[in-house]
Amino acid sequence: MFLRDLILYFLALSLGASALGCSRSEVQNSPLSEQEDITTCMSEVDCDQRNLCAPQVCEEGACVVLFERECESSDPCVESRCEPETGLCLKEYKTEDADGDGYRAPLAGFLPGEEGSCGDDCNDNSPFAYSGAAEVCDGIDNDCDGVIDNQITLLSELTLSQPQVMTPTGQSSSSGKSLSSVSGGFVFGLWGKEVEATSLIQAFDASGTTIFGPVNTTAVNAASFGASVATADNIVGAVWSDARVDDNYEVYFSRFNLAGEKLSEDLRLSNSDDFSIHGQLASDGDSFYVVHDDRGNFGDGGYARVWGAIISREGELLDSEVPLLNSLDSTEYPQVAVSAERLGVVATRLRYNGTAYQSEIVFQSFSNRFGDGSELISLEAVDGHRAKIVPVPEGFLVAWTRFGTFPGDSIWGSLISPQGEVLVAATRLTEGAEFARGHSMVSLGDRFLLIWSDTLEGNYEVYAKVLDFNFTTIEERFRLTEDSADSLVGAAALAEDGSLGIVFDDWRSNRREAYFLSLSCGSDAREVV
């Protein structure tokens, strides 16, 4: 008996020595009463031999663990574990290389290449983007330096598609409201009108080929307006207003997958005695952030006030009806953006100057739960209207139109730090036209692309230009549409493949319709490592 046990012991010992990077912790002989899960045995065949990381032997009529194999790794980005089926130590990286370019994404909460990030791939959805890659004109930050298409004259390299009408069949009119990127293309939020207005979303690739939709955001028999869309890990969030309860518009939210299927019941985000409208949505990949205004909190005067809500990617309502931009003046048309540090919120505030109401653009930043608000500041006190906001490396970029009796002649902008300090005061971003209205912005890292509509060449057409964050023009205006009917910009977004998508409203068919236009500067110089 002793000789057989000795042979089994050395056999198990040799298995442990064959696993690289492993150590073993021998089980000391101890009274059977101290051993856990003891099984009586006549021989080793009576003992559990399925776990080779803790082989058992039969000793004095009881199965005991001979040793437990412990796997260790000297690399903090690698986990090592023992595989029970083989008894070998396996190494597993803590981060993934989803695009197969040989570079791994950082751990959650870390920037690419940051100490402890375990990854330096700034875009693990593209094999053409990784640390040290050659930068080419494709709308992607290839070399992971935070700049898209470094030193490239972007607009002269663009290839424009033909505008495509996105108005759903059977709708008498429609309007594009928002645009966000999803895997394979874009998701589009709009409203269409048949008998009553309906809130719709649809997804399509850069060529305009449908991925899903259009899908009605809600099946209730009530007029609805929206929708604003954002994505979190290819979960599409949508927010809109409808009058399903007592003909009073309230704000609702729901989630959809990339087949256009609704993933949860509608969440009601507002509860007001008067209309709650103008819902806007942003996402940081983990949560959805909603802002809206309503007119039910200031008595018969109906003054508007801005509120916030937060919903998790899984659809859990984390916060709702959080008061924002506290002011005794009417504040409406809010927009929200998520930076690496803070949330930024802008809106239009109406102030009475003694003879008339004057509109101005106001800004405030918050922590990621709409707390710790910065000082509420005014960016523009001369007929500021319909501001939009995007996160940029310096903080937040805000642009707006002026609108008195008629639209102003320029799009204006300001740059604000994450803490709410004005870095660049209100500055004219466009010039030369009699009227300018409708705009969107896309950050390129060290500069940004401005898309807007103005009447420089007669009717409203869509233009683009590139500016740095001191608002110095790098590339002059570039005309994107050409038709005798007016074209008014709604929204713009960059897709994962670097394609730029723009949605705009147009009257070329003698009715208002939503159109989509894509731009790309793909390069044959791209290589996969």
Side-chain angles (χ1 to χ4, degrees), residues 8 40 75 88 163 186 188 219 301 324 338 351-352 358 369 373 413 423 432 471 524:
L8 286 171
T40 59
D75 188 340
L88 300 177
F186 303 92
F188 179 28
L324 307 174
V338 186
R351 306 193 79 172
Y352 190 68
Q358 185 79 44
R369 293 299 293 264
L423 302 177
F471 301 149
D524 294 334

Side-chain angles (χ1 to χ4, degrees), residues 171 191-199 220-225 249:
Q171 302 284 333
W191 64 259
K193 186 173 183 181
E194 191 169 357
V195 178
E196 289 188 309
T198 56
S199 299
V220 299
N221 185 22
S224 63
F225 291 92
Y249 285 97

Side-chain angles (χ1 to χ4, degrees), residues 473-524:
T473 297
I474 298 174
E475 296 183 55
E476 297 290 347
R477 69 164 66 217
F478 185 86
R479 185 170 175 171
L480 302 179
T481 61
E482 189 166 351
D483 191 83
S484 59
D486 288 335
S487 300
L488 294 178
V489 171
L494 273 177
E496 291 177 354
D497 67 355
S499 300
L500 175 71
I502 302 171
V503 292
F504 61 94
D505 292 346
D506 196 287
W507 283 259
R508 65 186 64 185
S509 64
N510 296 319
R511 61 176 181 169
R512 183 178 189 173
E513 292 189 299
Y515 279 77
F516 169 72
L517 176 69
S518 67
L519 304 88
S520 61
C521 61
S523 173
D524 294 334

Side-chain angles (χ1 to χ4, degrees), residues 43-52 54-58 63 84:
S43 67
E44 272 61 38
V45 297
D46 297 325
C47 300
D48 186 357
Q49 301 298 334
R50 293 172 297 177
N51 184 1
L52 297 184
Q56 294 185 1
V57 296
C58 184
C63 293

